[in-house]
């Protein structure tokens, strides 16, 4: 119906660098399938409003159902690994993402489309390659925040949001990359609003 046709304005497609999740004070646990590749992994596809606020947990009646995405599970394990402790196969992480975020874009994407869309976006953008092409490597070195944003803009055509966290020595490090996507999940767009990134002007890119 018309009143529910526009229940969010755009998506954040959020990728996490596993090295920066794992080298924090909290540490991390590898999934039961083993250590993930040294690559950005999917954190989520998050419906958002143009004013920076966002809806969450929109439909308590739509629970996560593995059987709907059985054909995607191999790609999920590779591209959407969980690093939270204790070790698990990832389904709790994916369930959380569906229930908190995915249920808020159900007017556009059902559960299978939601996960397939995130996997397809991951295929479309190679953030690690974009950074390496600009000489920005996960080698524990420090890089200017501007150079990181520029490298991703060169490769994708769009300026990303960058979020940092801190390692055990309190160094600011590259944690998550936010790209903006239209409400159908098919096209990258210029971000209407950027998340508070918490980065210093120079940030570490730790190894994984
Ligand atoms: P969520 O539960 O966001 O709502 O996530 C909170 C949990 O994730 C907390 O238990 C927190 O310790 C963990 N967490 C959040 N950020 C990080 C991080 O950068 N590294 C690790 N290892 N854990 C994190
Ligand atoms: P944090 O407080 O660690 O930045 O975020 C905790 C959780 O809140 C995220 O995992 C995500 O579920 C949600 N979140 C944080 N910032 C945003 C945002 O800007 N947009 C949306 N849609 N969700 C967010
Ligand atoms: P958010 O609410 O921030 O979208 O999702 C974060 C939630 O997923 C937290 O409860 C966190 O504990 C859980 N989680 C499980 N695996 C991961 C992971 O690999 N990265 C992050 N950031 N959160 C994870």
């Amino acid at each position: 119906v018309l009143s529910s046709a526009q229940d969010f304005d755009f998506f954040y497609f959020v990728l996490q660098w596993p090295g920066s999740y794992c080298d924090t004070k909290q540490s991390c646990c590898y999934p039961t399938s083993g250590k993930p590749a040294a690559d950005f992994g999917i954190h989520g596809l998050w419906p958002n409003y143009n004013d920076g606020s966002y809806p969450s947990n929109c439909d308590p009646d739509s629970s996560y159902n593995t059987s709907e995405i059985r054909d995607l599970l191999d790609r999920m394990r590779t591209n959407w690994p969980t690093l939270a402790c204790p070790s698990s196969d990832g389904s709790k992480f994916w369930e959380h993402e569906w229930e908190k975020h995915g249920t808020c874009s159900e007017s556009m994407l059902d559960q299978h489309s939601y996960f397939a869309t995130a996997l397809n976006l991951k295929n479309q953008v190679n953030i690690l390659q974009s950074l390496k092409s600009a000489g920005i490597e996960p080698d524990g070195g420090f890089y200017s925040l501007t150079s990181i944003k520029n490298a991703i803009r060169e490769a994708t055509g769009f300026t990303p949001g960058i979020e940092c966290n801190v390692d055990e020595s309190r160094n600011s490090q590259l944690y998550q990359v936010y790209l903006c996507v239209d409400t159908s999940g098919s096209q990258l767009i210029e971000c209407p609003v950027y998340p508070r990134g918490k980065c210093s002007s120079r940030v570490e890119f730790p190894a994984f």
Side-chain angles (χ1 to χ4, degrees):
V1 294
L2 278 174
S3 60
S4 65
Q6 178 70 352
D7 34 26
F8 64 107
D9 295 321
F10 69 95
F11 286 110
Y12 281 131
F13 177 55
V14 184
L15 296 155
Q16 64 179 359
W17 178 248
S20 300
Y21 189 89
C22 289
D23 73 358
T24 60
K25 216 165 57 182
Q26 293 122 303
S27 187
C28 74
C29 293
Y30 298 153
T32 46
S33 47
K35 184 180 178 176
D39 190 11
F40 285 85
I42 299 171
H43 180 165
L45 183 64
W46 302 345
N48 221 86
Y49 299 119
N50 286 339
D51 70 0
S53 68
Y54 57 90
S56 62
N57 299 100
C58 295
D59 184 0
D61 296 328
S62 174
S63 48
Y64 174 79
N65 187 350
T66 309
S67 63
E68 289 182 40
I69 57 167
R70 220 162 269 299
D71 62 313
L72 302 176
L73 288 176
D74 279 338
R75 291 169 68 201
M76 300 276 287
R77 280 187 280 268
T78 305
N79 295 288
W80 204 325
T82 181
L83 291 164
C85 296
S87 290
S88 72
D89 65 358
S91 47
K92 269 187 61 186
F93 187 27
W94 307 328
E95 175 179 48
H96 170 86
E97 292 300 311
W98 169 255
E99 291 176 354
K100 179 170 182 177
H101 299 286
T103 56
C104 299
S105 51
E106 262 185 305
S107 63
M108 300 300 293
L109 304 172
D110 66 16
Q111 198 169 139
H112 188 276
S113 313
Y114 177 78
F115 287 105
T117 295
L119 291 168
N120 290 341
L121 287 165
K122 169 72 166 52
N123 249 3
Q124 275 177 46
V125 296
N126 191 335
I127 297 296
L128 185 58
Q129 190 52 50
S130 306
L131 294 171
K132 286 181 173 177
S133 299
I136 299 167
E137 308 254 2
D139 57 3
F142 283 73
Y143 299 92
S144 80
L145 181 59
T146 307
S147 68
I148 291 170
K149 288 180 181 172
N150 285 346
I152 295 171
R153 186 175 60 230
E154 286 296 316
T156 66
F158 299 97
T159 304
I162 302 295
E163 180 184 352
C164 294
N165 65 1
V166 295
D167 69 11
E168 287 194 284
S169 313
R170 307 295 300 168
N171 293 311
S172 178
Q173 57 181 358
L174 173 55
Y175 171 42
Q176 299 201 113
V177 174
Y178 291 63
L179 294 167
C180 292
V181 181
D182 71 357
T183 54
S184 73
S186 56
Q187 307 245 46
L188 295 181
I189 59 170
E190 213 38 76
C191 284
V193 58
Y194 286 97
R196 288 180 306 280
K198 298 175 268 187
C199 296
S200 302
S201 58
R202 294 180 67 77
V203 304
E204 186 179 5
F205 192 8
F208 179 63

